[in-house]
């Protein structure tokens, strides 16, 4: 899993800290090659993934800014390194909020150019966990540029941070 800082270990850490109920329904927004989706399913979650350009047949093609799923469809939404590159990070957070049931959780790791906690709170979430991963993000960004595999495309120059947050819909 090279498409976000921290790889599979980070995905597992997000899930561990979120303490999702057994068999919870989870949507991966920006699921890419479906790696997190496979991991979620192997752990017994009822998982779906959506991406504009799916790189696996397991992932549905679609825009996570307008998913088309009814309100309150999921117990959790997971997204790694995808909301910012959509060009409407706060719109993606709002769509995640709409899709969650009461008590549902957003597990988000992403690049931020504004205050990440404010962004979640403005959408209605209670922030229950926040971790600054900027150091790891810098290493990942440089390595990605070095490999020239363009996974960081769409990230403008400037002082960004990388955060992992868990927001709850109360
Ligand atoms: C850096 S990749 C991360 C992929 C995956 N989350 C991972 O960590 O391996 C970002 C993904 O977000 C997707 N994406 C960007 N904007 C999107 C949108 N509006 N709707 C759906 N997917 C989008 C891209 O197609 C890409 O697959």
């Amino acid at each position: 899993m090279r498409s976000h800082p921290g790889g599979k270990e980070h995905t597992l850490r997000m899930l561990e800290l979120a303490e999702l109920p057994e068999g919870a329904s989870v949507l991966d927004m920006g699921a890419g090659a479906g790696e997190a989706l496979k991991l979620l399913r192997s752990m017994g979650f009822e998982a779906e993934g959506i991406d504009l350009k799916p790189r696996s047949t397991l992932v549905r093609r679609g825009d996570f800014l307008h998913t088309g799923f009814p309100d309150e469809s999921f117990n959790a939404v997971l997204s790694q390194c995808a909301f910012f590159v959509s060009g409407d990070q706060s719109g993606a957070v709002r769509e995640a909020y709409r899709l969650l049931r009461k008590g549902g959780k957003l597990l988000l790791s992403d690049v931020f150019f504004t205050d990440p906690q404010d962004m979640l709170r403005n959408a209605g979430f209670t922030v229950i966990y926040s971790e600054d991963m900027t150091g790891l993000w810098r290493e990942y960004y440089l390595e990605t540029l070095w490999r020239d595999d363009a996974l960081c495309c769409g990230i403008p120059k400037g002082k960004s941070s990388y955060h992992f947050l868990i927001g709850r819909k109360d």
Side-chain angles (χ1 to χ4, degrees):
M1 231 188 253
R2 291 199 321 187
S3 306
H4 63 262
K8 181 180 173 184
E9 288 67 33
H10 179 58
T11 311
L12 286 168
R13 186 166 147 65
M14 292 172 95
L15 290 166
E16 188 189 322
L17 286 166
E19 297 180 329
L20 302 180
E22 214 173 288
S25 57
V26 186
L27 177 66
D28 183 355
M29 289 170 69
E35 285 160 324
L37 183 57
K38 280 182 226 156
L39 181 66
L40 286 161
R41 287 184 181 171
S42 75
M43 294 169 77
F45 294 109
E46 221 180 88
E48 296 287 343
I50 184 169
D51 201 289
L52 271 186
K53 295 176 187 167
R55 281 173 280 127
S56 157
T57 50
L58 295 177
V59 177
R60 298 174 184 227
R61 185 176 301 277
D63 183 351
F64 60 51
L65 298 170
H66 311 281
T67 59
F69 290 112
D71 291 357
E72 305 189 359
S73 293
F74 297 94
N75 299 117
V77 166
L78 171 117
S79 186
Q80 299 172 291
C81 213
F83 281 4
F84 184 83
V85 294
S86 74
D88 185 5
Q89 191 177 34
S90 47
V93 173
R94 284 196 301 274
E95 177 68 356
Y97 188 85
R98 184 186 75 75
L99 293 174
L100 285 170
R101 299 185 185 127
K102 201 166 184 297
K105 289 175 183 159
L106 169 64
L107 288 58
L108 174 65
S109 70
D110 205 7
V111 181
F112 289 89
F113 281 80
T114 55
D115 186 300
Q117 295 201 30
D118 280 354
M119 184 171 298
L120 261 63
R121 286 194 195 108
N122 290 340
F125 284 104
T126 302
V127 177
I128 58 169
Y129 185 82
S130 175
E131 181 179 328
D132 189 339
M133 294 175 59
T134 308
L136 187 63
W137 159 239
R138 284 200 194 117
E139 281 170 31
Y140 171 84
Y141 192 94
L142 282 176
E143 195 194 312
T144 304
L145 288 177
W146 193 259
R147 282 199 313 260
D148 195 25
D149 59 11
L151 282 171
C152 288
C153 63
I155 310 289
K157 287 182 191 156
K159 196 170 177 220
S160 57
S161 70
Y162 196 95
H163 276 76
F164 157 38
L165 302 120
I166 301 175
R168 192 180 55 222
K169 179 171 177 175
D170 289 329

